[in-house]
């Protein structure tokens, strides 16, 4: 069997960790999250602009990495390269993960305090992050929330256009529906996975922990 390449895209803070955990739990699937390959102590990120050589060297490395029949990676930064990826690897399957706009924006605001990956600030008012700054598009908007909202809008628009153009290659799921057995089976069907499946676990990252924290807080409130 020819190796099946899988690429997942999304704004980030949208369920990509959950998807990676789910796919990696299946037999013969080696699916990374944002270029992290623990076994080789590697972290390979892709720049949002003009990083084609690095991109294709990385994908070729993954395809030839091991015996697994399904290989892939997830990253918000793959979006600008999707058509080039399809051109070079025509059997690729692209999974789009989507989360509600306000949830993505608020999650990023909390996650990236002191940093702003969406504005070319040159260290003025924000900390320079040489690792992650190049992975995002830049907007001429200094107000961070507004820049994040524009990022979400453009990401959804561009990914939707790609889905319309390549409906057999690209498909979208929401994080809200992700943990149902039907959706997990849909994803595995989409990537042509025909081996034994692990779909009963709760792969939704952070949601369970958040629920546990809310339960504890509610109990504390009842005590006072």
């Amino acid at each position: 069997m020819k190796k099946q390449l899988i690429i997942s895209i999304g704004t980030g803070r949208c369920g990509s960790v959950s998807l990676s955990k789910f796919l990696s739990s299946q037999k013969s699937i080696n699916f990374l999250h944002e270029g992290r390959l623990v076994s080789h102590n590697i972290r390979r990120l892709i720049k949002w602009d003009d990083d084609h050589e690095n991109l294709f060297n990385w994908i070729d490395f993954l395809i030839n990495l091991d015996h697994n029949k399904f290989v892939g990676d997830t990253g918000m930064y793959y979006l600008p390269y999707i058509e080039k990826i399809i051109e070079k690897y025509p059997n690729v399957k692209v999974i789009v993960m989507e989360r509600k706009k306000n949830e993505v924006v608020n999650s990023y605001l909390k996650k990236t305090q002191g940093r702003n990956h969406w504005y070319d600030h040159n260290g003025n008012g924000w900390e320079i992050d040489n690792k992650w700054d190049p992975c995002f598009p830049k907007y001429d908007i200094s107000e961070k929330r507004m820049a994040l909202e524009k990022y979400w809008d453009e990401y959804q628009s561009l990914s939707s256009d790609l889905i319309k153009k390549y409906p057999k290659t690209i498909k979208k799921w929401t994080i809200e529906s992700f943990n149902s057995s039907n959706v997990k089976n849909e994803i595995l069907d989409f990537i042509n996975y025909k081996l034994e499946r692990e779909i009963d676990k709760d792969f939704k990252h952070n949601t369970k922990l958040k629920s546990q924290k809310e339960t504890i807080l509610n109990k504390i409130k009842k005590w006072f």
Side-chain angles (χ1 to χ4, degrees), residues 26-48:
Q26 312 301 322
K27 293 180 179 178
S28 201
I29 296 184
N30 187 4
F31 192 77
L32 281 56
H33 180 255
E34 294 175 347
R36 186 183 295 280
L37 185 58
V38 177
S39 61
H40 288 61
N41 194 28
I42 291 174
R43 184 66 179 272
R44 181 71 68 87
L45 301 176
I46 308 298
K47 296 177 182 178
W48 186 268

Side-chain angles (χ1 to χ4, degrees), residues 64-90:
N64 295 293
L65 178 61
D66 54 34
H67 64 280
N68 287 292
K69 296 178 180 178
F70 297 78
V71 297
D73 191 14
T74 180
M76 72 294 293
Y77 40 70
Y78 285 114
L79 176 64
Y81 305 99
I82 290 300
E83 291 198 275
K84 291 294 184 181
I85 292 173
I86 293 173
E87 182 180 327
K88 185 169 182 180
Y89 312 95

Side-chain angles (χ1 to χ4, degrees), residues 90-146:
N91 77 318
V92 66
K93 293 294 184 179
V94 180
I95 297 171
V96 181
M97 292 298 292
E98 182 179 294
R99 187 181 180 187
K100 293 176 182 177
K101 180 178 180 178
N102 66 309
E103 293 179 4
V104 170
V105 170
N106 290 334
S107 181
Y108 263 127
L109 288 173
K110 183 177 179 180
K111 179 75 172 179
T112 63
Q113 291 183 24
R115 294 172 289 151
N116 188 345
H117 307 311
W118 302 269
Y119 180 64
D120 191 7
H121 51 78
N122 294 317
N124 296 320
W126 303 95
E127 176 186 346
I128 292 177
D129 187 334
N130 290 320
K131 183 168 77 170
W132 287 105
D133 283 347
C135 297
F136 294 89
K138 303 294 180 284
Y139 303 101
D140 190 21
I141 303 174
S142 59
E143 206 286 312
K144 188 175 175 182
R145 178 179 286 275
M146 290 179 62

